[in-house]
């Protein structure tokens, strides 16, 4: 899977992509942008598939306000335009400050759910491209292009909430760390280290699935959030990444050399209290891998 196709098929916590079309520089999909509320700047990209907004983690786009209903409203396409429909919410849905049960959306309209206000930006509006680029800059790591720590932790929080609600739902997290990376920086400089990080990120991104979230969460530390995945399946993915990195030749300070990484995997279980426990368990497994000689997944 190429880096470009892998990214384009992902959804993330702050952007919901509904439908099969993707944005280009020439034509941007319609979207809703939060202009007031706890998720300021987040987008809901609209397409052919209806999108439910609400407080529940099962909603397509979750807004954690107590005064917002679990399934508050939905946005859908009909007859070539987008509509907003209230889903019998307790505190109602407002369009341009007027309570509505169902209404068409026009470019620039404001949809209000309790204290959260979303602005509708119609397709083709150049402002949609601006919001797309602005949002990407807040959730991506500038060096590698992967998701950043803030976004990864938000995704993990949502996935843990889903796993706690559904006892049959699998969830795993993998923390990866490059071996002896400090020596590369000390001997060859940070520019060489940056080159190693970017290449390692590209290799890992080729080997995770569209449903996974790959993020850089520290200097040389990466996390892979794997929903609907057992520890055994997570290990297979981790081994694929580890072997691919080990087999690659890295150009460091004008020299060709081998780079390795270690990883720790943890799976959600009823014995864990929250996502902090899951992270600590994965981190302890990473420490075990390092202590056992590095270049391995535990």
């Amino acid at each position: 899977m190429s880096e470009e196709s892998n990214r384009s098929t992902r959804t993330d916590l702050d952007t919901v992509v509904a439908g099969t079309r993707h944005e280009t520089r020439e034509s941007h999909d319609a979207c809703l942008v939060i202009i007031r509320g706890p998720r300021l700047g987040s987008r809901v990209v609209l397409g052919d598939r209806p999108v439910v907004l609400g407080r529940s983690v099962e909603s397509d786009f979750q807004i954690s306000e107590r005064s917002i209903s679990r399934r508050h409203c939905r946005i859908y396409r009909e007859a070539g335009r987008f509509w907003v429909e209230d889903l019998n919410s307790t505190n109602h849905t407002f369009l341009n400050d007027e309570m509505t049960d169902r209404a068409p959306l026009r470019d620039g309209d404001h949809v209000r759910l309790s204290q959260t206000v979303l602005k509708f930006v119609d397709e083709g509006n150049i402002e949609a491209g601006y919001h797309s680029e602005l949002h990407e800059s807040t959730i991506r790591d500038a060096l590698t292009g992967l998701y950043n720590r803030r976004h990864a932790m938000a995704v993990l929080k949502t996935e843990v909430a889903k796993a706690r609600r559904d006892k049959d739902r699998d969830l795993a997290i993998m923390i990866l760390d490059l071996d002896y990376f400090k020596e590369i920086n000390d001997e060859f400089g940070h520019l060489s280290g940056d080159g190693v990080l970017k290449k390692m990120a590209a290799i890992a991104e080729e080997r995770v699935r569209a449903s996974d979230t790959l993020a850089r969460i520290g200097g040389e530390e990466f996390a892979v959030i794997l929903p609907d995945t057992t520890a055994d399946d997570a290990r297979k993915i981790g081994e694929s990444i580890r072997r691919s990195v080990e087999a690659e030749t890295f150009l460091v300070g004008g020299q060709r050399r081998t780079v390795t990484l270690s990883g720790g995997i943890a799976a959600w279980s009823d014995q864990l209290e929250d996502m902090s426990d899951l992270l600590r368990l994965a981190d302890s497994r990473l420490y075990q891998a390092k202590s056992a000689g590095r270049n391995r997944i535990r």
Side-chain angles (χ1 to χ4, degrees), residues 224-236:
V224 189
I225 300 168
L226 304 123
D228 301 313
T229 305
T230 64
D232 286 341
D233 287 337
R235 183 184 178 89
K236 293 175 184 176

Side-chain angles (χ1 to χ4, degrees), residues 71-265:
R71 290 170 51 89
H72 198 103
C73 70
R74 73 175 182 129
I75 311 295
Y76 64 97
R77 184 196 288 272
E78 182 178 280
R81 66 188 309 181
F82 290 98
W83 295 70
V84 57
E85 179 183 25
D86 186 75
L87 298 177
N88 297 315
S89 64
T90 302
N91 293 315
H92 311 291
T93 299
F94 293 82
L95 180 61
N96 300 322
D97 284 330
E98 293 188 6
M99 190 170 68
T100 185
D101 292 326
R102 178 179 179 272
L105 292 173
R106 295 171 296 182
D107 192 34
D109 278 349
H110 288 182
V111 178
R112 180 165 64 85
L113 289 64
S114 184
Q115 300 303 308
T116 295
V117 178
L118 303 97
K119 179 180 178 180
F120 175 65
V121 183
D122 207 352
E123 55 191 346
N125 187 331
I126 193 171
E127 190 177 342
Y130 163 76
H131 286 295
S132 174
E133 293 182 14
L134 182 64
H135 175 69
E136 282 293 302
S137 70
T138 66
I139 65 172
R140 294 285 181 181
D141 172 60
L143 177 66
T144 63
L146 301 181
Y147 289 119
N148 57 27
R149 182 183 182 89
R150 172 183 171 274
H151 178 71
M153 294 304 102
V155 171
L156 183 60
K157 181 179 179 181
T158 298
E159 292 299 336
V160 166
K162 292 178 181 178
R164 293 181 72 171
R165 289 167 58 89
D166 183 356
K167 302 302 182 184
D168 294 326
R169 190 183 187 97
D170 291 314
L171 172 64
I173 184 170
M174 175 166 48
I175 298 179
L176 303 170
D177 188 273
L178 287 169
D179 298 327
Y180 303 110
F181 184 73
K182 184 178 183 299
E183 295 181 5
I184 294 175
N185 276 338
D186 291 346
E187 183 176 353
F188 300 102
H190 289 279
L191 287 179
S192 292
D194 288 351
V196 171
L197 290 172
K198 288 192 285 187
K199 189 165 187 176
M200 182 270 167
I203 293 171
E205 195 163 27
E206 287 284 343
R207 283 151 185 83
V208 298
R209 306 160 302 183
S211 58
D212 303 330
T213 298
L214 172 63
R216 182 187 179 200
I217 60 172
E220 68 271 27
E221 195 170 68
F222 300 80
V224 189
I225 300 168
L226 304 123
D228 301 313
T229 305
T230 64
D232 286 341
D233 287 337
R235 183 184 178 89
K236 293 175 184 176
I237 295 172
E239 283 294 337
S240 174
I241 296 172
R242 185 195 64 78
R243 288 193 300 267
S244 297
V245 170
E246 184 183 24
E248 189 64 53
T249 299
F250 290 76
L251 189 63
V252 182
Q255 304 176 21
R256 297 188 179 277
R257 62 180 294 166
T258 299
V259 174
T260 63
L261 60 78
S262 302
I265 292 170

